[in-house]
Amino acid sequence: MCSSDLRDRSDSATMTLELETRNLRHDMTDRIETLHLATVIANHTQDMSGRVAAITGTTSGTGYVCARELAKRGATVLLLNRQSERSVASLKKLQQEVPEATFEDITCDLQDLASVRAAIATIRSHHDKLDVLCNNAGVMALEDRATKDGFDVQMQTNCLSHFLLTKELFPLLAKSDDARIVNHSSGARRGPPLDIKYFGNNGGDLGGDGTDVENMSFDGPRWRRYQQTKLGNAVFTTGLKARLDKAGLTHIKALLAHPGLALTQLQATTAQTGGMAADSPFMQQAQSQEDGATGIIRACMDPKASSGDFYGPEGWTGFPELLPLEDLLLDADNIRVNWEGCEAAVGEFRF
């Protein structure tokens, strides 16, 4: 069999798995009732008229819901996504759902630092102030491979590019009277402390892809890389708050959220690469993507939010409560490793 035949067979198998996963997701979504979004909108948001919010990863899932709800409350919403058919379709859908809103579609591929820098330049050229930066986008349990910049694909997508966005857009955030930097973590943050090797220019050489048994049980090297990124998101928030406090920048809030177990496109993407079973029994317990988005929605819009607040369900699902910060999120070594690793990758963060 020639190599082109093998590629065709592989492409066909991937397309089949993607279709099956999407069908499963749609079937499950039909059965999941959204329980908490309306309460959060009614009791934990404010008028966002005249404010500008930038959100990464809005083509589906929690980012899409957050963009929609911010727009409904009056914000101008900047949609930061890799350009694709999905980004075009999601923008059209948002415009249909909130026709009076202002959306700006900005190309931002988090797996390409040049693209991230170009997005930053675009935002700077169109806006002199930014009120909300929601670092929402993420990938989960992908293969051990490098981006074009040489970093682990999960670490660059989930952490490094968001660190770069935050530090370069910080002067615009500083001009807001109530700026919010919102980072999206996960229950996967729990685990070993941060290891600097995961932040380095050594993508594709960080443990491999694991066995089928490991991946089905959310274990092994690809899940360890994911855990490191989600802990990184969390301690970026606590480290940022400490620096903001030291600088006396009380009008800029660093906030953290997690979605609990929510059914989004994240699982479909992971299933395509062998990271988890598309029909995992674990996912039968999931809440809707709308309820999964309520943590970042509170962080973006709750008028009572304070810097350092952490919103999300107490368990796998539930109302986005104000949660205590765990010891591992306040650990000085974790904060140091994250900050040093990110600065080595994308440059010094100066206030």
Side-chain angles (χ1 to χ4, degrees), residues 56-215:
T56 62
T58 67
T59 60
S60 64
T62 57
Y64 179 91
V65 176
C66 187
R68 184 188 70 204
E69 299 305 323
L70 276 163
K72 286 181 178 179
R73 299 293 280 144
T76 293
V77 183
L78 315 185
L79 311 172
L80 277 58
N81 302 293
R82 180 179 62 84
Q83 285 301 297
S84 65
E85 292 182 2
R86 284 177 58 195
S87 67
V88 172
S90 63
L91 171 59
K92 183 178 180 180
K93 185 178 179 183
L94 282 168
Q95 291 170 331
Q96 291 171 343
E97 290 196 79
V98 199
E100 70 280 9
T102 300
F103 296 103
E104 296 181 20
D105 187 23
I106 298 175
T107 298
C108 183
D109 183 350
L110 298 176
Q111 296 180 23
D112 181 349
L113 294 179
S115 176
V116 176
R117 291 189 172 98
I120 291 163
T122 298
I123 294 170
R124 286 174 167 174
S125 68
H126 288 86
H127 299 277
D128 58 8
K129 176 177 71 75
L130 185 64
D131 300 284
V132 177
L133 174 60
C134 183
N135 294 318
N136 162 76
V139 293
M140 179 173 71
L142 298 187
E143 304 113 313
D144 189 4
R145 62 181 175 87
T147 65
K148 64 185 298 183
D149 301 296
F151 299 100
D152 172 64
V153 64
Q154 294 190 76
M155 183 58 73
Q156 181 166 330
T157 304
N158 297 357
C159 289
L160 302 180
S161 287
H162 284 136
F163 188 94
L164 175 59
L165 278 169
T166 306
K167 83 181 189 72
E168 294 297 326
L169 292 174
F170 192 81
L172 272 63
L173 289 157
K175 294 179 180 180
S176 172
D177 60 356
D178 179 22
R180 299 177 183 221
I181 299 162
V182 179
N183 296 313
H184 216 183
S185 188
S186 161
R189 68 190 179 277
R190 301 182 183 94
L194 290 181
D195 187 330
I196 195 67
K197 73 178 182 182
Y198 291 101
F199 293 81
N201 198 258
N202 54 359
D205 190 25
L206 288 167
D209 296 334
T211 66
D212 289 343
V213 172
E214 286 176 324
N215 291 326

Side-chain angles (χ1 to χ4, degrees), residues 251-282:
H251 65 298
I252 306 174
K253 299 178 177 68
L255 299 132
L256 181 64
H258 82 92
L261 182 62
L263 188 65
T264 69
Q265 192 63 29
L266 186 65
Q267 292 86 24
T269 304
T270 305
Q272 289 174 35
T273 65
M276 66 183 291
D279 57 350
S280 167
F282 184 58

Side-chain angles (χ1 to χ4, degrees), residues 36-46 65-66 68-70 72-73 293-294 297-298 301 303 319:
H36 307 297
L37 178 61
T39 302
V40 169
I41 297 301
N43 299 331
H44 298 284
T45 65
Q46 60 185 304
V65 176
C66 187
R68 184 188 70 204
E69 299 305 323
L70 276 163
K72 286 181 178 179
R73 299 293 280 144
T294 53
I297 289 171
R298 278 199 73 174
M301 293 195 281
F319 189 82

Side-chain angles (χ1 to χ4, degrees), residues 189 256 308 310-311 314 321-327 329-330:
R189 68 190 179 277
L256 181 64
F310 180 19
Y311 298 108
E314 293 181 336
E321 306 287 354
L322 177 59
L323 301 173
L325 293 171
E326 302 139 345
D327 288 345
L329 307 188
L330 300 169

